[in-house]
Amino acid sequence: MNSLKNSRKADRKKLSCLCLAVVSFYEENSLTYRFVNAINLSVQGVLVESDIPFDRGSQVNLLIKTPESDQWDTFICHIVWNKTTVADKIHYIGLEFICPTDKAFKKDPIDKFKIYPKDIDFILNTRLVKVLPENGICSFLNCLSYKILDPGVRFITYGKREDSLYIIQKGLCSIQIQKQDKTIQTVSQRREGDIIGEIALLTGEPRTASVISESKMILWELQRNKFDTVCKSHPDVRVFLTELLTNRLENSYVIGVRNIGRYVMTHRIGDGGWSFVYKGKHKTLNMPVAIKMMKHNQAMDSDFIENFKKEGKTIARMSHPNIVQIYDIEEIYRTIFIIMEYLDGESLESLLERKGSLPFSRALDFLLQICSGLAYAHDKEIVHRDIKPANIHIMDDDRIKLLDFGLACTPGEEDFEQTGTVQYMSPEQIEGDPVDLRADIYSLGIMAYEMFTGEKPFPEDDIMALMKMHVHDDIPDPSILIPDLPSSINNFILKACAKSPDQRYNTVYEIIEELSSAATMLKEKISQKPDNEKEVTVVLISHEKSKRNSLNKLLDEFSSRAEDLGLSLMIAGNTQIK
């Protein structure tokens, strides 16, 4: 007891980040281990968080590498206290070092652990684990089983529905298929760092080949049911599936692997916050398409998917010249693929980055096309919710296409997820209030401000500060930056960006009427503006010497006609060409 009191009085160092540790202990006469996160430590003990409790008073071995250390240290510890938070089901464990001042314990034989530091370092440095969020790594690692196989072991069997994938740490295995004549053929091999059997997590379909170890192997096994359990408590861990799938799609030379329904992927052409975009083609028509793959953190969100499926059919049926055409929606690999028309040109975001502000006439033309597409969607009771330059595509002939109706919702739906992009997000979206078409009008106004001025109205990098500005601050008057901005355009931007939805336009048709009038007045103003700019046209005449007199007469006549038209004419001297 005195030891415990003293350890609690010892200076504790709170770690700057979660520090991974391994606790090994005997369970049913078998040595097992558990990954935990170290929160703080002192010379006499350490505080860890775990997804399972430990019995108070029990003895365990601790393997830990602090951020300041390049080596793993080992300790023998007692569990001195155990506290569980009911809300998040996290167990906080107090471990007291046994004889912590005895340096011999830091060199305690490592084979008390079922796995070695080199094993842990390997799995932590694999590409798929590196993408995991820090707070989910520990729970993910506890899904893995460390396995050692002798040569000649079949650990994946053709035709069986098995639920595990394997990360190969050491050794070699062969992938075998059975030919029609019943003979076995080795088609490829896998070695250190490779992943095999990923289809178990992605589809759960029967195995398409058998896998045999050719040498002694060290594997990390990940079972689907364990992974899915962790995803419920740590949804961000689903990024593992996205990385797994993109690795499979982008690195496979087998066309069948890249098939998405009637389409085949070729290469990635873009990515965003919730999706990757690939170029592809229709397998029989050879028609180019864009294939958008939804990332798994949203594709496996039941609320998001329920809403998406509810609106997906409506979105797919939309047919308007200013809205990208959706051809198909495929659900496979535990995610959703949206197949749409392939577009040339560039995004409005890219254009604004290159040009800054746009000429008034071009910006008006773009806005009218955007409004035309939005009005069509609103008539079908679809609110876009993410109007921004990145979702406006400019074709080579300056036709506009609206993209990404995947975040769309019906009017009046509450936006608790705050979907959208903060720079263009309406106050009601930020506060999670019900949204309607006026949320799109606000985003349109913010985007118009940037198109005409070349600047964002709230150029704040701090997300929280930016959200407060959208909710509480009026946007700056754009005419301050652009004094010659037509008043009708200036008024449109200010009204569209009103804080209260009731003070904005009620429909996009009202905006179309105002902007059409502004476009007409701008055209009239341009046509009435005298063109006083001077131009110079140079004419070079090559002639034979014998024709000089005839040429002089021609030039005299030309000079007289030029004076009648108010043109200034200057004739240079002769130059001989040898």
Side-chain angles (χ1 to χ4, degrees):
M1 181 64 73
N2 290 334
S3 174
L4 176 59
K5 288 181 179 179
N6 291 335
S7 68
R8 289 181 174 175
K9 291 178 182 179
D11 291 337
R12 291 184 175 272
K13 179 180 179 181
K14 186 174 182 180
L15 300 171
S16 58
C17 59
L18 291 176
C19 178
L20 189 70
V22 185
V23 174
S24 70
F25 53 93
Y26 280 96
E27 186 176 58
E28 298 179 354
N29 297 321
S30 174
L31 187 65
T32 187
Y33 63 90
R34 203 74 182 173
F35 288 95
V36 296
N37 285 319
I39 300 174
N40 63 45
L41 55 84
S42 71
V43 293
Q44 292 184 322
V46 60
L47 172 64
V48 302
E49 61 178 24
S50 168
D51 52 5
I52 64 167
F54 292 95
D55 293 334
R56 182 175 176 178
S58 60
Q59 181 173 302
V60 298
N61 300 307
L62 179 72
L63 180 63
I64 184 172
K65 181 166 72 171
T66 59
E68 294 81 7
S69 172
D70 290 331
Q71 295 183 343
W72 291 87
D73 290 329
T74 63
F75 300 88
I76 299 175
C77 306
H78 276 143
I79 307 297
V80 292
W81 61 272
N82 192 340
K83 181 180 178 181
T84 302
T85 58
V86 178
D88 48 16
K89 297 181 181 179
I90 294 177
H91 305 275
Y92 293 95
I93 317 293
L95 288 82
E96 181 184 31
F97 300 143
I98 298 176
C99 299
T101 57
D102 186 348
K103 293 184 179 180
F105 280 95
K106 287 194 174 184
K107 300 182 181 299
D108 199 66
I110 203 67
D111 32 22
K112 288 187 176 180
F113 291 87
K114 198 173 182 179
I115 54 175
Y116 296 83
K118 62 182 179 181
D119 303 318
I120 304 170
D121 288 334
F122 167 81
I123 196 65
L124 289 176
N125 285 296
T126 57
R127 184 170 60 86
L128 290 173
V129 174
K130 279 186 173 183
V131 303
L132 295 173
E134 183 185 67
N135 63 351
I137 289 178
C138 184
S139 295
F140 175 82
L141 293 178
N142 282 324
C143 294
L144 299 173
S145 299
Y146 180 80
K147 293 185 175 297
I148 299 176
L149 299 183
D150 290 325
V153 176
R154 184 191 305 271
F155 58 97
I156 290 179
T157 304
Y158 170 78
K160 284 193 174 182
R161 288 184 179 272
E162 299 168 332
D163 68 347
S164 297
L165 71 73
Y166 300 89
I167 303 172
I168 303 173
Q169 178 177 329
K170 185 178 180 181
L172 184 70
C173 61
S174 60
I175 300 176
Q176 299 179 349
I177 60 171
Q178 183 173 305
K179 299 171 67 176
Q180 290 183 346
D181 60 2
K182 304 298 183 180
T183 59
I184 302 300
Q185 178 183 0
T186 298
V187 292
S188 63
Q189 292 180 320
R190 295 291 186 272
R191 48 184 46 84
E192 180 177 332
D194 288 337
I195 295 172
I196 194 162
E198 65 268 34
I199 207 69
L201 259 68
L202 294 172
T203 69
E205 296 173 351
R207 302 293 197 181
T208 57
S210 294
V211 183
I212 314 286
S213 59
E214 292 191 4
S215 65
K216 186 175 182 178
M217 298 188 72
I218 297 177
L219 304 172
W220 292 84
E221 179 184 14
L222 176 60
Q223 293 181 330
R224 177 170 175 151
N225 60 342
K226 291 182 179 180
F227 177 80
D228 288 350
T229 299
V230 168
C231 286
K232 291 177 181 177
S233 56
H234 296 281
D236 287 348
V237 169
R238 296 167 184 160
V239 68
F240 179 86
L241 282 180
T242 301
E243 193 72 17
L244 187 69
L245 179 55
T246 54
N247 181 66
R248 175 182 172 86
L249 294 173
E250 295 174 15
N251 296 317
S252 175
Y253 294 101
V254 181
I255 293 294
V257 171
R258 293 184 273 119
N259 284 346
I260 306 298
R262 294 175 292 177
Y263 307 88
V264 58
M265 287 181 166
T266 54
H267 61 281
R268 191 191 297 189
I269 56 176
D271 58 80
W274 62 280
S275 65
F276 292 113
V277 183
Y278 294 85
K279 187 174 182 180
K281 62 181 180 180
H282 193 287
K283 285 190 286 188
T284 55
L285 302 178
N286 207 31
M287 175 183 68
V289 294
I291 302 175
K292 178 166 290 188
M293 186 194 93
M294 193 179 296
K295 295 179 181 178
H296 288 79
N297 58 341
Q298 281 195 294
M300 294 173 67
D301 184 302
S302 57
D303 292 336
F304 180 89
I305 289 302
E306 182 182 354
N307 178 68
F308 181 89
K309 288 181 177 178
K310 182 176 63 178
E311 302 302 330
K313 292 181 180 178
T314 303
I315 295 168
R317 284 198 301 265
M318 289 197 297
S319 179
H320 187 276
N322 297 123
I323 296 177
V324 65
Q325 181 66 51
I326 305 295
Y327 298 136
D328 275 310
I329 296 177
E330 296 280 351
E331 191 170 359
I332 188 175
Y333 297 128
R334 306 181 79 178
T335 188
I336 288 178
F337 293 85
I338 306 168
I339 295 92
M340 63 189 75
E341 65 175 310
Y342 179 76
L343 305 175
D344 55 25
E346 66 176 329
S347 69
L348 177 59
E349 179 182 53
S350 173
L351 179 64
L352 291 174
E353 286 176 353
R354 289 192 298 105
K355 299 288 189 180
S357 61
L358 303 180
F360 294 166
S361 58
R362 195 179 190 201
L364 271 173
D365 176 44
F366 288 172
L367 283 171
L368 283 168
Q369 292 188 64
I370 295 167
C371 286
S372 179
L374 268 182
Y376 174 87
H378 291 171
D379 284 346
K380 293 186 174 295
E381 298 191 334
I382 295 293
V383 180
H384 190 287
R385 289 200 300 179
D386 198 22
I387 295 296
K388 60 182 179 181
N391 283 338
I392 307 299
H393 197 87
I394 306 167
M395 304 286 281
D396 288 341
D397 59 0
D398 265 7
R399 280 184 301 134
I400 291 293
K401 294 280 188 176
L402 275 69
L403 312 179
D404 270 5
F405 274 88
L407 296 179
C409 68
T410 53
E413 183 177 318
E414 294 184 356
D415 191 15
F416 293 115
E417 297 298 324
Q418 290 185 347
T419 46
T421 304
V422 175
Q423 284 281 7
Y424 305 91
M425 194 181 291
S426 68
E428 58 268 31
Q429 281 177 279
I430 291 172
E431 297 191 310
D433 294 333
V435 298
D436 58 24
L437 57 88
R438 293 171 296 182
D440 284 348
I441 289 175
Y442 181 90
S443 301
L444 181 69
I446 297 292
M447 189 170 66
Y449 184 102
E450 188 175 355
M451 291 167 70
F452 284 104
T453 68
E455 297 183 11
K456 294 179 174 64
F458 301 129
E460 177 59 62
D461 293 332
D462 185 316
I463 296 297
M464 296 305 297
L466 182 59
M467 293 170 77
K468 288 180 180 178
M469 288 180 179
H470 276 295
V471 173
H472 301 294
D473 298 348
D474 292 329
I475 67 166
D477 190 322
S479 64
I480 296 175
L481 286 175
I482 311 295
D484 60 340
L485 185 68
S487 59
S488 55
I489 296 175
N490 195 66
N491 294 336
F492 148 67
I493 294 174
L494 294 174
K495 185 174 180 178
C497 295
K499 297 300 154 192
S500 170
D502 293 336
Q503 295 176 351
R504 300 175 204 150
Y505 297 92
N506 291 316
T507 69
V508 177
Y509 291 106
E510 296 177 16
I511 300 175
I512 292 174
E513 184 177 352
E514 286 199 17
L515 292 182
S516 297
S517 298
T520 300
M521 288 189 294
L522 185 62
K523 287 179 181 178
E524 292 176 353
K525 185 176 181 181
I526 291 174
S527 64
Q528 294 171 3
K529 184 178 179 180
D531 189 359
N532 295 322
E533 292 185 2
K534 298 285 187 180
E535 289 186 345
V536 175
T537 300
V538 177
V539 178
L540 297 177
I541 301 175
S542 175
H543 60 90
E544 297 176 1
K545 288 184 178 181
S546 60
K547 301 288 180 68
R548 183 178 295 172
N549 291 333
S550 299
L551 176 62
N552 288 335
K553 290 180 181 180
L554 179 62
L555 291 176
D556 289 340
E557 182 180 349
F558 179 74
S559 178
S560 176
R561 294 288 301 274
E563 289 178 5
D564 293 340
L565 295 173
L567 304 178
S568 299
L569 185 66
M570 182 173 62
I571 301 174
N574 298 323
T575 301
Q576 283 190 341
I577 300 176
K578 296 182 179 180

